């Protein structure tokens, strides 16, 4: 299920990121709707965060140019008006 969500909502961002654009994936919903499960996943079903990093680093490795890539990534949780760095 997480792979399907990733394919439909996030994977298309990777080519733009490779070109130097910033990207944001935002999960919003009611408590217990499955946001954490979808973003983090678990060992048997990786979440969007891991799937994105896997494909991003794979695309960088496949680049045939002499470009230098600097990847910066942040994962944040906003809950009850508190921001937590994941």
């Amino acid at each position: 299920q997480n792979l399907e969500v990733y394919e439909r909502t996030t994977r298309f961002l990777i080519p733009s990121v490779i070109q130097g654009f910033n990207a944001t994936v935002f999960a919003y919903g009611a408590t217990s709707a499955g946001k954490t499960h979808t973003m983090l996943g678990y060992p048997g079903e990786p979440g969007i965060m891991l799937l994105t990093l896997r494909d991003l680093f794979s695309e960088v490795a496949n680049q045939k140019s002499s470009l230098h890539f600097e990847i910066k990534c942040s994962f944040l949780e906003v809950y009850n008006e508190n921001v937590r760095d994941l």
Side-chain angles (χ1 to χ4, degrees):
Q1 239 177 355
N2 287 345
L3 181 60
E4 183 179 350
V5 172
Y6 168 71
E7 294 286 345
R8 292 180 178 214
T9 64
T10 307
R11 184 172 171 78
F12 75 92
L13 297 170
I14 291 177
S16 297
V17 170
I18 294 292
Q19 293 176 15
F21 292 95
N22 294 327
T24 299
V25 176
F26 188 82
Y28 178 81
T31 299
S32 297
K35 299 174 298 295
T36 301
H37 168 76
T38 301
M39 293 303 288
L40 298 178
Y42 59 91
E45 184 179 6
I48 289 176
M49 292 163 57
L50 181 62
L51 294 168
T52 301
L53 291 173
R54 179 196 67 191
D55 286 351
L56 179 59
F57 283 107
S58 176
E59 287 295 323
V60 167
N62 290 334
Q63 296 298 307
K64 302 213 181 331
S65 66
S66 60
L67 294 175
H68 171 78
F69 290 90
E70 181 177 340
I71 298 171
K72 295 181 180 182
C73 184
S74 296
F75 298 105
L76 304 172
E77 175 183 70
V78 180
Y79 183 73
N80 285 338
E81 300 181 19
N82 294 310
V83 179
R84 186 174 74 146
D85 188 352
L86 299 175

